mmCIF file of all heavy atoms in Angstrom:
data_model
loop_
_atom_site.group_PDB
_atom_site.id
_atom_site.type_symbol
_atom_site.label_atom_id
_atom_site.label_comp_id
_atom_site.label_asym_id
_atom_site.label_seq_id
_atom_site.Cartn_x
_atom_site.Cartn_y
_atom_site.Cartn_z
ATOM 1 N N ILE A 57 6.876 31.601 9.081
ATOM 2 C CA ILE A 57 6.825 32.515 7.943
ATOM 3 C C ILE A 57 8.232 32.723 7.394
ATOM 4 O O ILE A 57 9.229 32.573 8.095
ATOM 5 C CB ILE A 57 6.124 33.857 8.271
ATOM 6 C CG1 ILE A 57 6.807 34.550 9.440
ATOM 7 C CG2 ILE A 57 4.649 33.634 8.544
ATOM 8 C CD1 ILE A 57 6.278 35.953 9.677
ATOM 9 N N ARG A 58 8.296 33.064 6.112
ATOM 10 C CA ARG A 58 9.555 33.129 5.377
ATOM 11 C C ARG A 58 10.609 33.982 6.099
ATOM 12 O O ARG A 58 11.757 33.577 6.218
ATOM 13 C CB ARG A 58 9.277 33.699 3.973
ATOM 14 C CG ARG A 58 10.483 33.717 3.052
ATOM 15 C CD ARG A 58 10.871 32.304 2.674
ATOM 16 N NE ARG A 58 12.142 32.219 1.970
ATOM 17 C CZ ARG A 58 13.341 32.291 2.536
ATOM 18 N NH1 ARG A 58 13.444 32.503 3.834
ATOM 19 N NH2 ARG A 58 14.427 32.171 1.821
ATOM 20 N N SER A 59 10.185 35.122 6.596
ATOM 21 C CA SER A 59 11.152 36.055 7.189
ATOM 22 C C SER A 59 11.704 35.528 8.521
ATOM 23 O O SER A 59 12.707 36.037 9.017
ATOM 24 C CB SER A 59 10.495 37.419 7.392
ATOM 25 O OG SER A 59 9.347 37.271 8.198
ATOM 26 N N GLU A 60 11.057 34.520 9.092
ATOM 27 C CA GLU A 60 11.534 34.002 10.388
ATOM 28 C C GLU A 60 12.167 32.612 10.278
ATOM 29 O O GLU A 60 12.415 31.932 11.273
ATOM 30 C CB GLU A 60 10.375 33.989 11.394
ATOM 31 C CG GLU A 60 10.031 35.411 11.821
ATOM 32 C CD GLU A 60 8.746 35.510 12.628
ATOM 33 O OE1 GLU A 60 8.211 34.465 13.051
ATOM 34 O OE2 GLU A 60 8.274 36.638 12.826
ATOM 35 N N LEU A 61 12.425 32.219 9.021
ATOM 36 C CA LEU A 61 12.954 30.882 8.771
ATOM 37 C C LEU A 61 14.298 30.645 9.455
ATOM 38 O O LEU A 61 14.479 29.665 10.175
ATOM 39 C CB LEU A 61 13.087 30.698 7.253
ATOM 40 C CG LEU A 61 13.468 29.322 6.736
ATOM 41 C CD1 LEU A 61 12.497 28.262 7.229
ATOM 42 C CD2 LEU A 61 13.469 29.349 5.215
ATOM 43 N N GLU A 62 15.243 31.579 9.226
ATOM 44 C CA GLU A 62 16.578 31.402 9.806
ATOM 45 C C GLU A 62 16.515 31.361 11.339
ATOM 46 O O GLU A 62 17.184 30.555 11.973
ATOM 47 C CB GLU A 62 17.539 32.529 9.361
ATOM 48 C CG GLU A 62 18.414 32.128 8.186
ATOM 49 C CD GLU A 62 17.766 32.445 6.844
ATOM 50 O OE1 GLU A 62 17.172 33.529 6.723
ATOM 51 O OE2 GLU A 62 17.834 31.596 5.931
ATOM 52 N N ALA A 63 15.677 32.211 11.869
ATOM 53 C CA ALA A 63 15.531 32.242 13.328
ATOM 54 C C ALA A 63 14.984 30.908 13.848
ATOM 55 O O ALA A 63 15.457 30.384 14.863
ATOM 56 C CB ALA A 63 14.598 33.384 13.723
ATOM 57 N N ALA A 64 14.022 30.358 13.113
ATOM 58 C CA ALA A 64 13.430 29.080 13.543
ATOM 59 C C ALA A 64 14.484 27.975 13.509
ATOM 60 O O ALA A 64 14.587 27.154 14.434
ATOM 61 C CB ALA A 64 12.254 28.711 12.642
ATOM 62 N N LEU A 65 15.303 27.972 12.436
ATOM 63 C CA LEU A 65 16.361 26.959 12.331
ATOM 64 C C LEU A 65 17.380 27.158 13.447
ATOM 65 O O LEU A 65 17.834 26.191 14.074
ATOM 66 C CB LEU A 65 17.040 27.056 10.959
ATOM 67 C CG LEU A 65 16.190 26.567 9.784
ATOM 68 C CD1 LEU A 65 16.704 27.120 8.463
ATOM 69 C CD2 LEU A 65 16.137 25.047 9.746
ATOM 70 N N GLY A 66 17.709 28.426 13.711
ATOM 71 C CA GLY A 66 18.666 28.749 14.765
ATOM 72 C C GLY A 66 18.199 28.255 16.128
ATOM 73 O O GLY A 66 18.988 27.749 16.933
ATOM 74 N N GLN A 67 16.906 28.364 16.359
ATOM 75 C CA GLN A 67 16.367 27.904 17.646
ATOM 76 C C GLN A 67 16.562 26.406 17.842
ATOM 77 O O GLN A 67 16.589 25.912 18.969
ATOM 78 C CB GLN A 67 14.874 28.229 17.731
ATOM 79 C CG GLN A 67 14.646 29.616 18.325
ATOM 80 C CD GLN A 67 13.178 29.992 18.364
ATOM 81 O OE1 GLN A 67 12.317 29.181 18.054
ATOM 82 N NE2 GLN A 67 12.904 31.218 18.737
ATOM 83 N N HIS A 68 16.681 25.677 16.743
ATOM 84 C CA HIS A 68 16.955 24.237 16.840
ATOM 85 C C HIS A 68 18.455 23.961 16.725
ATOM 86 O O HIS A 68 18.862 22.830 16.493
ATOM 87 C CB HIS A 68 16.203 23.482 15.739
ATOM 88 C CG HIS A 68 14.718 23.399 15.991
ATOM 89 N ND1 HIS A 68 14.172 22.468 16.842
ATOM 90 C CD2 HIS A 68 13.691 24.139 15.520
ATOM 91 C CE1 HIS A 68 12.849 22.628 16.872
ATOM 92 N NE2 HIS A 68 12.539 23.643 16.086
ATOM 93 N N GLY A 69 19.259 25.018 16.867
ATOM 94 C CA GLY A 69 20.710 24.849 16.862
ATOM 95 C C GLY A 69 21.313 24.708 15.480
ATOM 96 O O GLY A 69 22.446 24.254 15.348
ATOM 97 N N LEU A 70 20.552 25.047 14.434
ATOM 98 C CA LEU A 70 21.068 24.900 13.070
ATOM 99 C C LEU A 70 21.491 26.253 12.516
ATOM 100 O O LEU A 70 20.659 27.158 12.388
ATOM 101 C CB LEU A 70 20.010 24.276 12.153
ATOM 102 C CG LEU A 70 19.669 22.805 12.415
ATOM 103 C CD1 LEU A 70 18.542 22.355 11.521
ATOM 104 C CD2 LEU A 70 20.901 21.928 12.207
ATOM 105 N N LEU A 71 22.771 26.383 12.209
ATOM 106 C CA LEU A 71 23.276 27.598 11.597
ATOM 107 C C LEU A 71 23.451 27.353 10.109
ATOM 108 O O LEU A 71 23.494 26.212 9.666
ATOM 109 C CB LEU A 71 24.624 27.975 12.222
ATOM 110 C CG LEU A 71 24.601 28.087 13.741
ATOM 111 C CD1 LEU A 71 26.005 28.325 14.297
ATOM 112 C CD2 LEU A 71 23.658 29.235 14.162
ATOM 113 N N GLN A 72 23.570 28.469 9.361
ATOM 114 C CA GLN A 72 23.761 28.328 7.921
ATOM 115 C C GLN A 72 24.974 27.438 7.631
ATOM 116 O O GLN A 72 25.991 27.552 8.292
ATOM 117 C CB GLN A 72 23.949 29.702 7.272
ATOM 118 C CG GLN A 72 22.974 29.902 6.136
ATOM 119 C CD GLN A 72 23.018 31.313 5.623
ATOM 120 O OE1 GLN A 72 24.055 31.977 5.663
ATOM 121 N NE2 GLN A 72 21.884 31.793 5.147
ATOM 122 N N GLY A 73 24.819 26.530 6.674
ATOM 123 C CA GLY A 73 25.905 25.588 6.407
ATOM 124 C C GLY A 73 25.673 24.246 7.081
ATOM 125 O O GLY A 73 26.246 23.234 6.698
ATOM 126 N N ASP A 74 24.812 24.251 8.111
ATOM 127 C CA ASP A 74 24.499 22.992 8.801
ATOM 128 C C ASP A 74 23.434 22.193 8.064
ATOM 129 O O ASP A 74 23.217 21.023 8.356
ATOM 130 C CB ASP A 74 23.924 23.258 10.200
ATOM 131 C CG ASP A 74 24.972 23.798 11.163
ATOM 132 O OD1 ASP A 74 26.168 23.659 10.849
ATOM 133 O OD2 ASP A 74 24.581 24.335 12.207
ATOM 134 N N TYR A 75 22.744 22.858 7.155
ATOM 135 C CA TYR A 75 21.573 22.203 6.567
ATOM 136 C C TYR A 75 21.456 22.523 5.084
ATOM 137 O O TYR A 75 22.061 23.461 4.575
ATOM 138 C CB TYR A 75 20.285 22.666 7.263
ATOM 139 C CG TYR A 75 20.123 24.168 7.305
ATOM 140 C CD1 TYR A 75 19.582 24.858 6.214
ATOM 141 C CD2 TYR A 75 20.505 24.909 8.425
ATOM 142 C CE1 TYR A 75 19.440 26.244 6.242
ATOM 143 C CE2 TYR A 75 20.374 26.275 8.462
ATOM 144 C CZ TYR A 75 19.845 26.934 7.369
ATOM 145 O OH TYR A 75 19.710 28.293 7.389
ATOM 146 N N ILE A 76 20.664 21.672 4.399
ATOM 147 C CA ILE A 76 20.277 21.951 3.007
ATOM 148 C C ILE A 76 18.788 22.273 3.060
ATOM 149 O O ILE A 76 17.998 21.484 3.602
ATOM 150 C CB ILE A 76 20.502 20.709 2.115
ATOM 151 C CG1 ILE A 76 21.978 20.331 2.099
ATOM 152 C CG2 ILE A 76 19.986 20.960 0.689
ATOM 153 C CD1 ILE A 76 22.236 18.929 1.581
ATOM 154 N N LEU A 77 18.437 23.420 2.501
ATOM 155 C CA LEU A 77 17.037 23.849 2.574
ATOM 156 C C LEU A 77 16.341 23.605 1.231
ATOM 157 O O LEU A 77 16.861 23.976 0.184
ATOM 158 C CB LEU A 77 16.994 25.339 2.923
ATOM 159 C CG LEU A 77 15.602 25.938 3.176
ATOM 160 C CD1 LEU A 77 15.003 25.392 4.464
ATOM 161 C CD2 LEU A 77 15.689 27.463 3.233
ATOM 162 N N THR A 78 15.199 22.951 1.285
ATOM 163 C CA THR A 78 14.377 22.788 0.086
ATOM 164 C C THR A 78 13.097 23.582 0.281
ATOM 165 O O THR A 78 12.336 23.319 1.211
ATOM 166 C CB THR A 78 14.021 21.299 -0.159
ATOM 167 O OG1 THR A 78 15.225 20.571 -0.269
ATOM 168 C CG2 THR A 78 13.196 21.137 -1.424
ATOM 169 N N GLU A 79 12.920 24.579 -0.580
ATOM 170 C CA GLU A 79 11.733 25.423 -0.453
ATOM 171 C C GLU A 79 10.796 25.119 -1.618
ATOM 172 O O GLU A 79 11.239 25.061 -2.761
ATOM 173 C CB GLU A 79 12.158 26.886 -0.500
ATOM 174 C CG GLU A 79 11.319 27.760 0.381
ATOM 175 C CD GLU A 79 11.834 29.209 0.354
ATOM 176 O OE1 GLU A 79 13.017 29.434 0.060
ATOM 177 O OE2 GLU A 79 11.012 30.091 0.636
ATOM 178 N N LEU A 80 9.533 24.910 -1.342
ATOM 179 C CA LEU A 80 8.610 24.512 -2.402
ATOM 180 C C LEU A 80 8.097 25.712 -3.179
ATOM 181 O O LEU A 80 7.964 26.808 -2.644
ATOM 182 C CB LEU A 80 7.417 23.738 -1.814
ATOM 183 C CG LEU A 80 7.781 22.496 -1.013
ATOM 184 C CD1 LEU A 80 6.515 21.694 -0.686
ATOM 185 C CD2 LEU A 80 8.768 21.613 -1.745
ATOM 186 N N LYS A 81 7.784 25.456 -4.462
ATOM 187 C CA LYS A 81 7.179 26.489 -5.307
ATOM 188 C C LYS A 81 5.675 26.504 -5.070
ATOM 189 O O LYS A 81 5.104 25.505 -4.610
ATOM 190 C CB LYS A 81 7.454 26.154 -6.784
ATOM 191 C CG LYS A 81 8.931 26.153 -7.168
ATOM 192 C CD LYS A 81 9.112 26.357 -8.660
ATOM 193 C CE LYS A 81 9.137 25.093 -9.487
ATOM 194 N NZ LYS A 81 10.263 24.217 -9.461
ATOM 195 N N PRO A 82 5.015 27.595 -5.425
ATOM 196 C CA PRO A 82 3.552 27.603 -5.312
ATOM 197 C C PRO A 82 2.958 26.461 -6.127
ATOM 198 O O PRO A 82 3.401 26.201 -7.251
ATOM 199 C CB PRO A 82 3.157 28.947 -5.923
ATOM 200 C CG PRO A 82 4.401 29.760 -5.963
ATOM 201 C CD PRO A 82 5.559 28.843 -5.954
#
Side-chain angles (χ1 to χ4, degrees):
I57 57 172
R58 185 69 189 78
S59 57
E60 288 170 11
L61 187 56
E62 263 90 42
L65 288 160
Q67 271 177 6
H68 287 279
L70 291 175
L71 306 174
Q72 234 172 31
D74 290 343
Y75 53 84
I76 298 164
L77 186 69
T78 302
E79 215 177 336
L80 303 189
K81 297 202 270 287

